[in-house]
Amino acid sequence: LIAVLVIASFAFASFSGGGGNSQTGDAAGYVSGIGIEVDIEGSTHVNEGETVVYSTSPPASGNHWPVPAPCGFYDDPIPDERAVHNMEHGNIVINYNLPVESDVSDLRDALSDVGLNRVWGVARPYEGIEPGQVVLSTWGVIDSFLGVDAERIDTFFETYSGVMGPERVPC
């Protein structure tokens, strides 16, 4: 099943203009009504450990570290500079500030039902948003809401997995 998903994600990326190029990138794949389009802040690699200031919290583009995070669900924070590299690759970052453990479990369950999450998703705790909030971010697009909304998460993944960012590379 995983092999089929990986092959399908490569096929989807090639149909959507993916394939890893070196342009700055834009949010040309934005779909009105699914998230909010934000300005692209750049896409230059900076030295590992260097701090980058972003105009949005969480960021949806910008300069970043040279190595992305592997896809998966994280219980420990991932620095913005690493997560932005994932978005440059067309990945979706699920930022969550869910103080109630049952909400974290609900988010894990919702993401396990999204097949594209296995090859395009990185979930991380994020203190830069309000408690109880989940923010989905990809290159040039942010969607925020309270609690876990499985349908909204699935729609975001169906719309933007491997579509946004100057390089489309599954995790």
Side-chain angles (χ1 to χ4, degrees):
L1 177 62
I2 292 173
V4 170
L5 289 172
V6 170
I7 292 167
S9 69
F10 282 120
F12 180 76
S14 66
F15 288 127
S16 64
N21 57 50
S22 60
Q23 62 183 314
T24 301
D26 60 33
Y30 173 70
V31 175
S32 181
I34 302 176
I36 298 169
E37 188 173 20
V38 296
D39 290 336
I40 301 301
E41 297 184 47
S43 63
T44 301
H45 288 171
V46 299
N47 293 329
E48 186 86 17
E50 184 176 328
T51 300
V52 177
V53 176
Y54 300 100
S55 66
T56 62
S57 182
S61 70
N63 297 340
H64 54 274
W65 294 347
V67 179
C71 281
F73 195 102
Y74 293 83
D75 296 314
D76 295 317
I78 295 172
D80 285 344
E81 294 84 0
R82 188 161 322 284
V84 169
H85 195 144
N86 285 87
M87 290 181 270
E88 180 188 42
H89 286 185
N91 300 157
I92 293 172
V93 178
I94 305 94
N95 308 275
Y96 65 92
N97 187 351
L98 301 171
V100 179
E101 186 56 40
S102 62
D103 290 340
V104 175
S105 290
D106 290 346
L107 180 60
R108 280 183 188 271
D109 291 344
L111 290 171
S112 72
D113 290 339
V114 177
L116 291 167
N117 178 55
R118 292 169 184 77
V119 292
W120 295 106
V122 176
R124 66 177 179 157
Y126 195 75
E127 292 184 0
I129 56 178
E130 296 295 320
Q133 192 174 35
V134 173
V135 178
L136 308 174
S137 54
T138 192
W139 197 260
V141 182
I142 294 176
D143 190 18
S144 63
F145 45 91
L146 289 175
V148 176
D149 186 333
E151 185 175 324
R152 200 161 170 176
I153 292 168
D154 187 56
T155 298
F156 198 89
F157 267 90
E158 288 292 329
T159 305
Y160 296 124
S161 292
V163 174
M164 309 303 276
E167 302 173 0
R168 281 67 172 227
V169 181
C171 304

